[in-house]
Amino acid sequence: MKSKISIKLGFILMLALMTIANAQSNSIQFKSGITVAIKTETIPPGNTDSLGSMYGYTDSSDNIVHRMMTDTKNKIYFGYDVVVEKQGETEKFKVSIKPLTKTPKQLLNRNTAFGGNIPDYDTFTAKTLPKYPDAVILDDGDTITLDILENPQTRTKISDIIKVLSKPNNFGYYFSERRDAKDFTIDDVLLKMTKPEISINDKTYKTGTSLTGNINWIYIHGKGRFIFSFSPQPGYDFHKTGIILDNKIMFDFNGDKYKIVSQTPILGEGGKWNLWVMYDPDYHSTFDISPESPFHFGATSNVEYLFNKK
């Protein structure tokens, strides 16, 4: 069995922050098929009460992943680029961590036509690591641990775990080896959408996004955000108005018919189940959204993370 090494790069940006949100994993696939997965962790685990109102964003171009975190309360942003270069015909990759080459204005959309209180990212201050590590050579599936933020009062740290693979996996989650074995519970059931097609009444859009989580959501420009759960969520305005049918999600809202068709089953190996849907009219995406693809997707393990109640 191929070993999965972890290289720890201990360059930390010292920040005194308040609360963290949306700390979760996501992945980017290049046109070459190479996949970069990034998971944000806190040390000590689960201690997120003193690490700033940080939101993570990931984008890519060619063989570069642009990783950025914004703190809307303190009006700062921090980020870095991950540059991945395949080493000939081997399953080895040269991975470099470099200064961020994008600004919030380039990565995020400030168009006030979307409504809501969208931050003026031009007023944010950029923060950078005091030093960037040398490039490293990774085997397929190896990880890098990059310590990036620390609260000097509490010593709580944020680290990004970066994994590079020659191709995406089929399991939706890239960091199972970092979890302890435990008994299976209902919380381990995940909704999965793989490059879904979205139909609103008679108009259909194709997407290239894939996501997996206990809670999935989709923002549709001009419509609002719809949040999906396979179970009721006490304290939140979910209604049993949707249906999961094998690889499809179907629901009606305000006279419109919505259908989301995934390339893989939504839940397990397929079947027909009720789906709980919550409408969130107050959410407004900060990402660039075009008329050809007026969507923004997301997934989380806990609905509280979507409303900063944790």
Side-chain angles (χ1 to χ4, degrees):
M1 181 178 177
K2 186 184 300 182
S3 63
K4 306 299 182 186
I5 67 170
S6 179
I7 300 173
K8 197 170 184 65
L9 306 176
F11 302 97
I12 301 175
L13 176 65
M14 303 294 286
L15 295 175
L17 306 173
M18 304 302 291
T19 59
I20 188 171
N22 290 350
Q24 52 188 293
S25 62
N26 53 64
S27 62
I28 292 288
Q29 184 180 3
F30 300 136
K31 292 180 180 179
S32 63
I34 294 173
T35 295
V36 178
I38 300 177
K39 173 180 170 61
T40 303
E41 292 185 348
T42 60
I43 302 173
N47 184 3
T48 62
D49 292 336
S50 59
L51 279 173
S53 50
M54 301 296 295
Y55 291 80
Y57 306 92
T58 307
D59 194 12
S60 69
S61 57
D62 298 325
N63 65 328
I64 302 175
V65 174
H66 308 290
R67 175 71 168 162
M68 184 177 69
M69 294 183 178
T70 63
D71 179 356
T72 56
K73 179 177 181 178
N74 296 293
K75 291 190 174 182
I76 61 174
Y77 74 92
F78 160 77
Y80 59 89
D81 284 353
V82 183
V83 183
V84 181
E85 302 170 85
K86 196 171 189 302
Q87 301 298 284
E89 298 302 318
T90 68
E91 290 189 345
K92 292 182 180 293
F93 307 93
K94 180 181 178 182
V95 180
S96 305
I97 307 297
K98 297 185 176 183
L100 183 67
T101 55
K102 299 284 187 178
T103 66
K105 187 174 181 179
Q106 291 173 310
L107 287 176
L108 305 175
N109 179 27
R110 296 199 304 118
N111 187 350
T112 56
F114 288 103
N117 185 23
I118 297 176
D120 181 0
Y121 290 107
D122 285 339
T123 65
F124 280 39
T125 301
K127 299 291 184 178
T128 60
L129 287 173
K131 181 180 178 182
Y132 287 84
D134 295 332
V136 295
I137 302 297
L138 300 185
D139 288 324
D140 189 9
D142 285 347
T143 61
I144 294 173
T145 300
L146 180 63
D147 293 334
I148 51 176
L149 302 173
E150 181 172 343
N151 186 314
Q153 280 75 45
T154 65
R155 311 308 296 179
T156 303
K157 292 189 292 187
I158 298 178
S159 298
D160 271 355
I161 315 301
I162 305 166
K163 176 177 283 192
V164 181
L165 305 100
S166 58
K167 57 184 178 181
N169 67 25
N170 295 319
F171 304 106
Y173 186 73
Y174 288 87
F175 299 96
S176 296
E177 74 279 359
R178 301 185 67 83
R179 293 176 168 174
D180 294 330
K182 62 185 183 69
D183 294 336
F184 185 86
T185 69
I186 190 66
D187 293 332
D188 297 303
V189 178
L190 302 177
L191 299 172
K192 183 176 181 180
M193 299 184 197
T194 305
K195 298 181 179 179
E197 288 187 355
I198 301 170
S199 296
I200 305 174
N201 299 320
D202 296 326
K203 188 167 185 178
T204 300
Y205 305 83
K206 292 186 177 181
T207 73
T209 300
S210 298
L211 62 154
T212 303
N214 302 96
I215 306 290
N216 287 0
W217 57 266
I218 176 174
Y219 169 80
I220 305 174
H221 175 47
K223 300 291 186 180
R225 178 164 69 167
F226 298 96
I227 306 171
F228 308 118
S229 173
F230 55 80
S231 62
Q233 299 290 328
Y236 294 89
D237 193 26
F238 280 84
H239 300 273
K240 193 166 56 175
T241 55
I243 293 290
I244 298 173
L245 178 60
D246 295 329
N247 65 328
K248 304 177 185 67
I249 285 177
M250 295 169 287
F251 65 99
D252 295 349
F253 185 80
N254 278 353
D256 293 320
K257 293 184 177 296
Y258 297 85
K259 182 167 68 172
I260 302 173
V261 182
S262 170
Q263 294 185 9
T264 57
I266 302 288
L267 192 58
E269 295 302 315
K272 187 175 184 179
W273 296 276
N274 292 315
L275 180 69
W276 295 78
V277 182
M278 176 180 172
Y279 177 60
D280 177 15
D282 298 324
Y283 178 85
H284 298 278
S285 176
T286 56
F287 284 81
D288 286 315
I289 294 179
S290 67
E292 295 77 23
S293 183
F295 309 109
H296 176 198
F297 296 91
T300 183
S301 60
N302 192 319
V303 69
E304 291 180 347
Y305 295 145
L306 302 181
F307 299 96
N308 297 327
K309 291 186 179 181
K310 189 175 185 297

